[in-house]
Structure formats: structure tokens, C-alpha cells
Amino acid sequence: MPTRHPSAPPSPDGHLLHPIVRKLSTYAHLDAGERAALAGLSAGGQRVEGRSDLLVEGAAPDCAVLVVEGIACRYRHRPNGARQITAYLLPGDLCDPDVVHLSRMTHSVGTIGPCRIVRIPREALADLTERHPGIARALRHAKLAEEETTREWVMNVGCRSAIERVSHLLCELHERLRIVGWATKAGYDLPLTQQDVADTTGLSNVHVNRVLRQLRLMRLVEVGGKRVDILDLPGLRAVAEFQPDYLRPTSAESIPG
Amino acid sequence: MPTRHPSAPPSPDGHLLHPIVRKLSTYAHLDAGERAALAGLSAGGQRVEGRSDLLVEGAAPDCAVLVVEGIACRYRHRPNGARQITAYLLPGDLCDPDVVHLSRMTHSVGTIGPCRIVRIPREALADLTERHPGIARALRHAKLAEEETTREWVMNVGCRSAIERVSHLLCELHERLRIVGWATKAGYDLPLTQQDVADTTGLSNVHVNRVLRQLRLMRLVEVGGKRVDILDLPGLRAVAEFQPDYLRPTSAESIPG
DNA sequence: CGTCCCGTTGAAGCGTGTCAAGGTCTGTGG
DNA sequence: CCACAGACCTTGACACGCTTCAACGGGACG
């Protein structure tokens, strides 16, 4: 049983109920006008079903994509059919406004579960960042965090064991969802299948299942029914060697411009 | 026996002998003034020995680092001593002017072999991009390519076999070095040890050795003596499923600004 | 009521890691 | 010129973490 209905606002604190406002506020100070502008973006939007593509490899996209609700991912298929997920897009994440300017996407972006998204035309985005330097600064910072996250993933699949990889993924999603108000200390809703976790961590779905069982037996975390219940956060982070630094850079203001 | 002495310029075509000029020119048109400005940057610089750190995890860097000659890498150590290399910095690569603005580096940057580098103060870099929009555009594009490269690495360690991973790495380095004039169709000089390759691909040094032997027996590539000799480029790329697209985005001009 | 997707579990095989020993090369100091 | 040390490469034997294959159960949905 989910703790909160997906369409209910995460919290009753005005603009902060919009995940992108919450997220960008952690990176740079936003004035009232900037918060309002972002909130305006998040309003409305388009409902998209789970397991559907938002941007496909090879296409020439003309819009950025803001995830307002739900979880999406960047992924690619190998010729042999194997899939690798290279990033998750959580509420408040803006699917790379720059990459989107490339004439050919080298990977696809698709939803995991049902999502609410906003497509933002290139010009509207440029206009927004020109008018609101705080937003521009925060977006640059968010992008840095995203790059660090990708490097962390290289670290994860490159030199950690199965249980460490899965734990690390669960910790990262927990931390990122907490920032935007979609997770509590106790856990979070997660629409991923075990196959998705496998395609993220470079493991087989069978082995992911075994690792999740082990984590449950270790009384660290229980994953099941589209829900993650965290029993022992310090313990889980210890197993994962999780250092949240890369998600929350310490000095947003040091980036000029 | 290296094909070219390291201190000799790659080619005699004026400014294009500077790797950063060659590289950025592939991403956006640069006018004469911009090429000259970049060439001015590359001149001189500082010699650094192999196996030394340029930026260390936890420090607060105040300069960007341009690699003019040699190879450096981003890396991190796990508490258990394991090392993961998350990126290589080749001649012409500018160590992320933005990440460098963070107050705390989450990873280190160190040289592989001897290098020639230029440290660029934050203000000088800002000045350069303000004065030369072409450079700014090209740098943005270079950064996109770098992000795509990191995602490709996630793909590599996440879902490819040992021989595929090593082949892919060799293909990527070949292509990137070719762009800046440090590789020919026949091969390139490479100061990496087998342990470095192992720390990059998530394999053990022993297994890297076996894979390299196999690639030699397959008559695809010979690696040894700090040199990579490519015997069958199409064959090697086929094994690696190497798609150079991610390094050379097709439409540089579509990025505004 | 059947179908399909997902989760679960067991058994067997294999790719890769680990351990260990020795070889080669290079630089260094006697 | 030789002896030695250290870093790197190479190879073999063995161990193990993970994959693969297969079968079954349960829940959602038409």
C-alpha cells in the first residue's frame, strides 16, 4: 500500500510542492519570481503511461522534458537485446536541455511507471534562463550533480559486488526522492521491476531477486509490491558505501553566472 | 617503438597543431581570433610526471586543467583499495571547468604517463568564453560528448563481456586520439598499464592480460610496450559494437548560444 | 477463466577473480 | 660491467559469484 496517492501534492508548503522548485532550491537561492516561474512550468502537463518512450534513439528532439510525477529513465539496447539503463529521471528532473539539442539522440528516454511530464520548447527554456539567472545557476548545478551521478554509476557497476550495487541504487533513489518530497525516512514507492534493477546494475533479474532476499534477511530493507521499506538506513548505506555528497554539492553559490 | 616523438607537433598545419583547436573545431566553427586564443592557451604549460595527482578528492580547486600532451584520468578509490577510473583526459581535453567550481571534488584527477598541462584560472576561462562565443559553443558541445562518453562507459561495464569492454576502450581511445592528431589508422601510443585498463573496465589485471592475448590471436589488435597496433579496425569495432557517434555529434550548429 | 507479466526458487555451468610463481625489462648503485 | 630491486607482464590452477535454464506461483487484467 503506497503511503501517498500519486496525485496528491507531496506537501502543503506553497511552491515547494513542485518537485523542480524543491530540487533547484537546494542548489541555488531562487527568488519569489523564479519560484513562481518554475511552478508555472510544472502546472498541468501531460499524463504518460508506463513503459512508453518519451524520446527515442536516433530522433531529433526539439523539446526538453520535465518529469513532474513518476519515474523515467535513459536507456539503450544492445544488438543482442540486452538493455542498459544509464540514468533515472525522478520528479523535478529536467531531461537534459542540452543533449536534447543534439540532432540525434544516442539513447532513448522512456517511462518506468505512469508519469506526468511537461514538454518545454527550446525557446521557452532559453527565455526562462535568460530572465532568471537564479534558475540558470541552479540548472547548471543540477547538471553537475547529474554528471557526478553518472560517474558514481560507473563506479557502481565497475567495482562493486551485487549486493553493494543494489544497495547503492536503493540509497541513491531514496536520497533523490527525499529531496523532492517523494520519500520519507521509512521508504518510498518505486515502480521498478526486478528486471529494471538488473538492467541498471548489470546483474541478471534472478540474481537481483536473490540479493533483495538477502537484504531482507539482513533486516536492512524490504523491496516488493512497488514499494521500498527501509528498515535500517545507516546499515544499508554502510553496505553500499553510500556517500550522498555527489547529489548535494556543498557550495552552490561558488558557481558564477 | 613510438611512431612519433612525444614532443614533436602532430602536424604542421598552423594552429591545428594544438589539440584543443583540433578538437573544438570538430564541434563548432572557430574564427581566426578564436583559434589564436586557444593556441595561446596551449603554448607553454607545465610538465608533470606520470602517476601524479593534478586535483585531489576533497580539495577545492580554483583552476581548470587543460591537457596539452599525455594522458590523465579521473578516478576514485574505494575504502578497500579498489580503484575505478571514470574518464580519460586526452590532449585537447579541458578538465571540467564547471566541476572544478565545486567546493569539494568528489573524485581525483591524475596523470597516467608524463603530461604537459595548462592550469587556467576560473576568471581567464570566463573571459575567454565571453569574448569568443564560438569557443563557448564548442566547449558546451565538448561537454555533451563527455557526458555521452560516461554513459557509454556505464553501458560498457554494465552489460558487455570482458573482450567487448577492452575492445571498446581501445576503439574509443583510438577515435579520440585521432581527432587530436595523436593516432593514425595503424595505432597509437598508450601509456596505460594493464592494471589501468583493469581499473577502467572493471576486470582484474590478470584477465585483461588474457583478453589482450586473445585479441592478438584473433589478429585484431596488438597491445604492448606502451603501444597499440591496430591490425583490423573494422573487426575490432565489430567486437566492441563501437559506434563513434557519441564522440562526434552530427550537428554542432544546432546548439544555440 | 485464461493469459501474461512478474517474482521466486533450485540446479548446473561458466566467465572472471584470486592466488601463486616466474619472466622480462628498466633503472640504479656498487 | 654487474648485481639488484621494482614494476609490469605472463601463465597455470583453482575457487566462486553470477548467469542461465527451467519450473512454478501469484496477482492483474481482459
Side-chain angles (χ1 to χ4, degrees):
Chain A
M1 176 75 181
T3 51
R4 180 199 301 139
H5 188 280
S7 64
S11 67
D13 50 355
H15 286 139
L16 282 185
L17 95 189
H18 295 284
I20 189 169
V21 179
R22 294 184 69 133
K23 181 183 157 196
L24 293 189
S25 292
T26 69
Y27 291 133
H29 173 74
L30 302 179
D31 64 33
E34 290 172 332
R35 289 200 301 273
L38 287 173
L41 268 189
S42 301
Q46 169 189 1
R47 293 216 157 270
V48 183
E49 293 187 347
R51 308 287 151 186
S52 54
D53 282 336
L54 301 177
L55 303 166
V56 289
E57 184 175 346
D62 58 344
C63 283
V65 174
L66 170 66
V67 177
V68 180
E69 259 179 54
I71 297 185
C73 68
R74 300 180 197 273
Y75 70 92
R76 251 182 65 197
H77 282 283
R78 286 186 55 184
N80 72 5
R83 179 180 65 152
Q84 178 69 45
I85 292 177
T86 58
Y88 285 113
L89 301 172
L90 308 187
D93 285 343
L94 187 59
C95 178
D96 222 330
D98 287 333
V99 162
V100 134
H101 291 150
L102 291 177
S103 63
R104 258 180 59 90
M105 294 280 294
T106 58
H107 60 273
S108 302
V109 176
T111 59
I112 298 284
C115 288
R116 191 154 61 85
I117 66 163
V118 177
R119 290 183 192 270
I120 305 173
R122 192 183 304 189
E123 310 75 38
L125 196 64
D127 183 64
L128 194 72
T129 54
E130 269 167 35
R131 260 209 262 267
H132 304 291
I135 294 180
R137 193 162 54 235
L139 281 177
R140 271 199 302 280
H141 217 117
K143 190 163 172 187
L144 289 189
E146 191 183 327
E147 288 169 31
E148 283 299 323
T149 302
T150 311
R151 277 192 272 271
E152 193 66 37
W153 282 36
V154 171
M155 190 90 185
N156 213 28
V157 287
C159 67
R160 284 200 257 253
S161 69
I163 192 172
E164 291 165 343
R165 292 184 210 183
V166 173
S167 302
H168 197 279
L169 176 63
L170 294 175
C171 285
E172 180 189 307
L173 291 174
H174 181 236
E175 183 70 10
R176 289 173 60 190
L177 286 170
R178 282 238 287 177
I179 291 172
V180 291
W182 284 91
T184 67
K185 281 187 181 174
Y188 51 96
D189 292 335
L190 188 70
L192 302 200
T193 64
Q194 293 182 356
Q195 184 64 59
D196 292 327
V197 176
D199 292 344
T200 306
T201 52
L203 301 168
S204 66
N205 56 350
V206 175
H207 203 63
V208 166
N209 182 284
R210 287 194 258 258
V211 164
L212 292 178
R213 173 158 47 91
Q214 191 182 348
L215 287 171
R216 192 180 334 117
L217 292 176
M218 292 169 78
R219 309 249 54 197
L220 294 177
V221 62
E222 290 181 355
V223 180
K226 306 291 174 216
R227 173 81 192 161
V228 176
D229 285 305
I230 295 179
L231 307 178
D232 176 4
L233 184 57
L236 186 65
R237 290 189 165 186
V239 168
E241 292 177 0
F242 182 72
Q243 306 277 44
D245 313 19
Y246 68 97
L247 296 173
R248 324 233 358 195
T250 44
S251 107
E253 305 308 325
S254 72
I255 297 189
Chain B
M1 176 71 181
T3 50
R4 180 201 299 140
H5 187 280
S7 64
S11 67
D13 51 356
H15 285 140
L16 282 186
L17 96 189
H18 295 286
I20 189 168
V21 180
R22 295 184 68 132
K23 181 184 158 196
L24 294 190
S25 292
T26 68
Y27 292 133
H29 173 75
L30 301 178
D31 63 35
E34 292 172 331
R35 290 200 300 274
L38 287 173
L41 269 189
S42 302
Q46 168 189 2
R47 294 216 156 270
V48 182
E49 293 187 348
R51 308 288 152 186
S52 53
D53 281 336
L54 302 176
L55 303 166
V56 289
E57 184 176 347
D62 57 345
C63 283
V65 173
L66 170 66
V67 177
V68 180
E69 259 179 53
I71 296 185
C73 68
R74 300 180 196 272
Y75 70 91
R76 253 183 63 198
H77 283 283
R78 285 185 57 185
N80 71 6
R83 179 179 64 153
Q84 178 68 45
I85 292 176
T86 58
Y88 284 113
L89 301 173
L90 308 187
D93 285 343
L94 188 59
C95 177
D96 221 328
D98 286 334
V99 162
V100 135
H101 290 152
L102 291 177
S103 64
R104 259 179 59 91
M105 294 280 292
T106 58
H107 60 273
S108 302
V109 176
T111 60
I112 298 283
C115 287
R116 192 154 61 84
I117 66 164
V118 176
R119 290 183 192 269
I120 306 173
R122 192 184 305 191
E123 309 76 36
L125 195 64
D127 183 63
L128 193 72
T129 54
E130 270 168 37
R131 261 208 260 269
H132 304 290
I135 293 180
R137 193 162 52 237
L139 281 177
R140 270 198 303 279
H141 216 117
K143 190 164 173 185
L144 289 189
E146 190 183 325
E147 288 168 31
E148 283 299 324
T149 302
T150 310
R151 276 191 273 270
E152 193 66 38
W153 283 35
V154 172
M155 189 92 184
N156 212 29
V157 288
C159 67
R160 285 200 256 253
S161 69
I163 191 172
E164 290 165 344
R165 292 184 209 183
V166 173
S167 303
H168 197 278
L169 176 63
L170 294 174
C171 285
E172 180 188 308
L173 291 173
H174 180 235
E175 182 70 11
R176 288 173 62 189
L177 286 170
R178 280 238 287 178
I179 290 172
V180 292
W182 284 90
T184 67
K185 281 185 181 176
Y188 52 96
D189 293 335
L190 188 70
L192 301 200
T193 65
Q194 292 182 357
Q195 184 64 57
D196 292 327
V197 176
D199 292 344
T200 306
T201 53
L203 301 168
S204 67
N205 56 349
V206 175
H207 204 63
V208 166
N209 183 282
R210 288 193 263 255
V211 164
L212 291 178
R213 173 158 47 91
Q214 190 182 348
L215 286 171
R216 191 180 334 116
L217 292 176
M218 293 168 76
R219 308 248 58 196
L220 294 177
V221 62
E222 292 182 352
V223 180
K226 306 288 173 221
R227 172 81 193 160
V228 175
D229 285 305
I230 294 179
L231 307 178
D232 176 3
L233 185 56
L236 186 64
R237 289 189 167 187
V239 168
E241 291 177 2
F242 182 72
Q243 306 277 42
D245 313 19
Y246 68 96
L247 295 172
R248 325 237 352 199
T250 45
S251 107
E253 305 308 324
S254 72
I255 297 190

